[in-house]
Amino acid sequence: MQMNEAKQKFRLTSLERAWILYDVGNSAFVLLVATLIPIFFNALAEGGGLSSVEYLAYWGYAASAVTVITAVLSPILGTLADTRNFKKPIFTFCVAVGVIGCCAMGMASTWLPFLLIFIFAKVGFSGSLVFYDSMLSDVTVPDRMDEVSSKGYAWGYIGSCVPFVVCLALVLGAGSIGISQMTALNLTLFITAAWWLVTTLPLLRQYKQVHFVEVQEHAIRQSFARIGHTLRHLKEDRQVFWFLLAFFCYIDGVYTIIDMATAYGTALGLDTTGLLLALLVTQIVAFPSALVFGRLSGQYPSGTLIPVCIAAYAGIALFAFFLKHQWQFWVLAVVVGMFQGGIQALSRSHFAKIIPPEKSGEYFGLFDICGKGASFLGTMIVSVGSQLTGSANVGVGSLIVLFIVGFVLFRVSDQK
């Protein structure tokens, strides 16, 4: 009887599965941004006469622009989405912006328009995650959040490999099927956009907003008033306040490593095919690792597991400082895969459990500022460090400071 109850406890509901499936869809775009899109941009940058250091720097500046725009929009949209029946429409709009932008990148013939369209698509993607993350409190209950969040990341990692393998085969085998590599790269953008759209449909059909604030007159004006109230009183909730500061630092480094991995390897002159295969290994390793962290969360509190992941990333940044050879990039890819899913999933569910559920959109707007919005600092560290020293290793290795500060601040938050 107890065994059946245990099985039932971890059996996903239809709504939980639909929520996880969106992670499978948007993760394909994340993987494309981390692998093939920088190569696409590199080809356009070379055609425009940019050097390898300029290529890495401009890619970093584009990523920083995305995070600044997202940081401005996230709390506004997130607070507005807490209003009854607002969350799904705004989420749908953001997904549409991302999908259309993903397709439109293939129309750019020079590096600058490509970067501008990339910023448009990435803002749509980042905006959708504010609402997607805040849906966690609507699709499940608090004692299942760690497990469901971990499975979202886990299946996102392995599911994103399906379109990516097709895209990779197209790019690497372009000549054998009689198309140019640029045409193949264009096709990868359309395939990824279609995958993203199709995997979103079940969530759009099933999701209903459970936690909300009532519709009021002047909803937009009221959303600004709620943001102001939350920010004024944020220091009173010390656990949330210190966690957001810690998250700002450590997840900044995590997302910077994810966003700039291929660009970093390319700037070091490493073999492109090897880089892509290594990052595919990262996704495969991340699948079981995220599930393991989900199971461990049933035995150990997230306050214990998150610092372990932060410490591991500090070691990754230190290792990246000395990276010169292809085999070292493979080692880096495997170790990143071991901790990437754990730190993302546990941070999301940890935050969802310490905030008011009816204000989840508003709070996850702040969460997104401190997450993807914060990677403005990380990408700027890498870009400016690379240009000033002429060494990509120095820029990436400097990220260790963010992990050390994040570790200390998280310990303070956990004590509160």
Side-chain angles (χ1 to χ4, degrees):
M1 183 70 175
Q2 289 181 344
M3 186 177 293
N4 288 336
E5 288 178 359
K7 287 181 179 178
Q8 184 66 34
K9 181 181 178 182
F10 293 109
R11 186 175 297 164
L12 294 171
T13 66
S14 175
L15 181 56
E16 287 171 345
R17 283 196 298 270
W19 184 83
I20 288 170
L21 192 59
Y22 181 71
D23 222 325
V24 173
N26 75 63
S27 293
F29 179 72
V30 175
L31 187 54
L32 197 71
V33 169
T35 54
L36 294 176
I37 288 180
I39 294 170
F40 201 140
F41 173 59
N42 187 43
L44 295 175
E46 284 183 352
L50 298 184
S51 69
S52 61
V53 170
E54 286 175 325
Y55 150 73
L56 183 66
Y58 285 126
W59 182 250
Y61 293 141
S64 298
V66 169
T67 56
V68 170
I69 296 168
T70 304
V72 172
L73 293 179
S74 292
I76 299 168
L77 294 177
T79 307
L80 190 61
D82 282 331
T83 306
R84 183 201 286 265
N85 297 327
F86 274 44
K87 189 172 290 185
K88 187 193 285 189
I90 303 176
F91 168 74
T92 305
F93 173 75
C94 290
V95 172
V97 169
V99 169
I100 293 168
C102 185
C103 292
M105 272 187 278
M107 301 175 188
S109 56
T110 56
W111 67 269
L112 185 56
F114 181 88
L115 273 191
L116 294 175
I117 298 170
F118 166 75
I119 291 170
F120 176 83
K122 193 78 185 293
V123 167
F125 160 78
S126 299
S128 76
L129 290 188
V130 176
F131 311 113
Y132 172 67
D133 289 341
S134 70
M135 288 175 182
L136 183 58
S137 58
D138 289 333
V139 301
T140 191
V141 293
D143 63 351
R144 292 170 62 89
M145 282 183 180
D146 287 330
E147 183 81 11
V148 173
S149 182
S150 296
K151 286 187 175 180
Y153 275 109
W155 286 104
Y157 290 132
I158 201 68
S160 64
C161 293
V162 176
F164 179 69
V165 168
V166 175
C167 294
L168 190 59
L170 266 175
V171 172
L172 297 180
S176 61
I177 59 175
I179 61 174
S180 69
Q181 194 169 60
M182 290 301 281
T183 301
L185 285 166
N186 280 328
L187 288 172
T188 65
L189 293 168
F190 284 104
I191 290 169
T192 302
W195 176 269
W196 185 2
L197 179 61
V198 169
T199 53
T200 306
L201 297 178
L203 181 60
L204 294 178
R205 282 198 301 268
Q206 296 186 47
Y207 175 75
K208 290 182 180 178
Q209 193 169 350
V210 177
H211 302 288
F212 50 80
V213 295
E214 291 294 340
V215 178
Q216 299 174 341
E217 283 189 69
H218 312 297
I220 295 177
R221 187 191 305 168
Q222 286 299 320
S223 71
F224 280 101
R226 292 205 306 274
I227 292 171
H229 181 271
T230 299
L231 291 175
R232 284 195 302 272
H233 294 276
L234 189 59
K235 279 191 176 182
E236 295 172 11
D237 191 340
R238 295 186 177 184
Q239 185 181 15
V240 173
F241 176 73
W242 286 103
F243 172 78
L244 285 175
L245 289 180
F247 186 69
F248 180 93
C249 294
Y250 73 74
I251 209 69
D252 183 353
V254 171
Y255 283 125
T256 301
I257 289 172
I258 293 171
D259 289 343
M260 301 195 73
T262 301
Y264 175 50
T266 303
L268 292 177
L270 303 182
D271 176 62
T272 300
T273 303
L275 292 178
L276 296 178
L277 293 175
L279 289 166
L280 181 59
V281 168
T282 297
Q283 300 295 106
I284 295 169
V285 171
F287 171 64
S289 298
L291 292 178
V292 167
F293 274 104
R295 290 297 176 89
L296 287 174
S297 67
Q299 302 172 36
Y300 305 98
S302 52
T304 300
L305 296 174
I306 291 174
V308 172
C309 296
I310 298 173
Y313 262 97
I316 287 167
L318 183 62
F319 183 79
F321 183 80
F322 298 100
L323 193 149
K324 292 181 180 178
H325 306 292
Q326 194 85 33
W327 69 267
Q328 292 173 311
F329 194 88
W330 280 84
V331 172
L332 191 72
V334 171
V335 179
V336 166
M338 290 171 63
F339 294 96
Q340 182 173 295
I343 198 168
Q344 291 176 294
L346 292 173
S347 296
R348 177 169 63 186
S349 54
H350 179 82
F351 188 67
K353 287 184 287 188
I354 64 175
I355 61 172
E358 73 279 1
K359 294 184 177 181
S360 60
E362 178 181 335
Y363 274 85
F364 269 102
L366 298 175
F367 182 83
D368 202 66
I369 289 177
C370 296
K372 292 174 184 62
S375 61
F376 167 81
L377 179 61
T379 51
M380 287 298 289
I381 287 173
V382 174
S383 298
V384 174
S386 299
Q387 282 195 313
L388 290 179
T389 64
S391 169
N393 294 77
V394 173
V396 177
S398 300
L399 294 174
I400 191 171
V401 175
L402 296 175
F403 295 117
I404 293 171
V405 175
F407 183 92
V408 173
L409 291 175
F410 185 86
R411 300 301 298 173
V412 173
S413 166
D414 205 35
Q415 290 170 4
K416 299 297 180 185

